[in-house]
Amino acid sequence: MKSSLAAITYDNTADIQRKVSVLHPFQITTAELFSIVEGQNEVTLIVIQSAKEKILKLFGVEAKSQIDNLAAISIEFSKEHAQLPNFYFALLSPLAMKRIRIIEIVSTHTGVSFIVDKADMEEVIKVLNVFA
């Protein structure tokens, strides 16, 4: 679990790609950067709240979206679980039933982090504890 995060989203342009490529470790530290999520059309940086202004200044272009006061709740699981059909559905379904807004999902082969509003953090932990 990590709190006091911010999400900054930019259009995925060549200029933004260049700025992202030199961002870490040259401009911000590992402790300041939680994740970079790259899609076809957008790039979202999940950073600690105190690094947000530094990122905005370094990039020098208007962000498409900025969301403050976020938290990351992370779950690690086995390689076997990663192969199960509907595994992510089992994690997401109870959150949807509680009407919890998921800002971003960051995943690896054996882990997933849900980026949510900080105000929902305790409820997310309570809901996902059944998987612990």
Side-chain angles (χ1 to χ4, degrees), residues 20-61:
V20 167
S21 70
V22 298
L23 188 61
H24 174 265
F26 306 109
Q27 305 290 335
I28 65 171
T29 68
T30 302
E32 293 174 308
L33 179 65
F34 181 79
S35 185
I36 299 171
V37 181
E38 295 185 50
Q40 289 265 357
N41 300 313
E42 297 176 332
V43 175
T44 299
L45 293 93
I46 311 293
V47 298
I48 62 168
Q49 193 74 45
S50 60
K52 179 183 156 192
E53 291 306 318
K54 186 191 310 186
I55 302 265
L56 293 172
K57 186 177 177 183
L58 286 168
F59 278 50
V61 295

Side-chain angles (χ1 to χ4, degrees), residues 61-116:
V61 295
E62 186 174 343
K64 190 173 189 176
S65 171
Q66 299 177 47
I67 306 173
D68 296 324
N69 300 313
L70 301 176
I73 291 76
S74 300
I75 299 172
E76 297 294 321
F77 43 85
S78 69
K79 288 188 266 184
E80 291 75 25
H81 279 98
Q83 303 302 314
L84 293 174
N86 298 321
F87 181 70
Y88 281 109
F89 175 79
L91 296 173
L92 290 167
S93 183
L95 297 175
M97 296 295 285
K98 294 284 186 175
R99 302 196 47 79
I100 294 170
R101 179 179 172 221
I102 298 172
I103 308 300
E104 188 68 68
I105 298 173
V106 180
S107 67
T108 62
H109 183 62
T110 58
V112 64
S113 295
F114 297 109
I115 312 300
V116 299

